[in-house]
Amino acid sequence: MKSLRTILADAWQFGKFSIVGVLNTAIDFGVFMVLHGKMGLWYPVSQVISYSCGMTNSYLLNKFWTFKSRRRVHFTEVAKFVLVNLAALGIALGLLALFRGKYAFGPAESKVLATLGSLSVNFLGNRLWVFREG
C-alpha cells in the first residue's frame, strides 16, 4: 500500500506533467500562428516545425523538472521519447475515430476524451520507460 506522501508525490508529478503539456500546446500553437498565419509558410511545414518545438520543450522540461532525470541527454532516451509521443498520437487518433465515427460525439467531447487517453499513455510511457532511473 502506498503512503500518503508517495500518493501526493505521484499526483504532483502528474500535475507537473500536465503543466508542461499546456505549455507545449501554447508553444505549438504560437509557433504555428507565426509561421503560417503571419509569415505565410505552407501549413504542413509550419505544423511539423511547431509540433517539433513543443515536443522539444516537452522533452527538456519533463526530463529535468517533471521526472528529475540527471542523466545526460542521449540518443536512446530521445528515441524512446519520440516513440512514446508517436504512440500517444496514435492512441489519440484512434480514440478520435472511435468517438467521432462510431459514437458520433461532438468534436470538442471527442478531442477531450482522446486527449485524456493519450495523456495517460504519454505520462506512463515517460515515467516508466523514457525517464526511468536505474
Side-chain angles (χ1 to χ4, degrees):
M1 185 88 184
K2 286 188 174 187
S3 70
L4 179 59
R5 176 175 288 189
T6 301
I7 292 168
L8 291 175
D10 289 347
W12 174 234
Q13 188 177 58
F14 184 75
K16 292 194 300 187
F17 185 82
S18 298
I19 291 167
V20 170
V22 169
L23 184 57
N24 300 336
T25 301
I27 289 169
D28 178 10
F29 184 81
V31 171
F32 180 83
M33 292 308 297
V34 168
L35 294 176
H36 180 65
K38 298 289 184 191
M39 298 174 61
L41 190 62
W42 189 39
Y43 71 88
V45 174
S46 298
Q47 177 61 23
V48 168
I49 293 169
S50 66
Y51 186 82
S52 297
C53 289
M55 206 162 102
T56 301
N57 180 72
S58 177
Y59 175 78
L60 294 171
L61 286 181
N62 281 317
K63 177 176 178 59
F64 296 112
W65 184 55
T66 304
F67 299 107
K68 295 185 172 142
S69 175
R70 299 297 172 225
R71 292 176 289 173
R72 291 181 5 173
V73 173
H74 54 85
F75 175 80
T76 303
E77 186 177 80
V78 173
K80 287 179 179 180
F81 180 80
V82 170
L83 286 173
V84 166
N85 275 274
L86 290 173
L89 176 61
I91 287 171
L93 289 170
L95 290 172
L96 278 172
L98 178 70
F99 295 127
R100 286 292 288 149
K102 184 171 183 174
Y103 297 114
F105 285 16
E109 297 89 351
S110 297
K111 177 66 173 162
V112 167
L113 292 170
T115 299
L116 290 174
S118 67
L119 174 68
S120 302
V121 169
N122 204 329
F123 176 74
L124 290 173
N126 279 291
R127 180 178 178 171
L128 300 174
W129 190 45
V130 178
F131 299 115
R132 186 173 132 222
E133 293 294 327

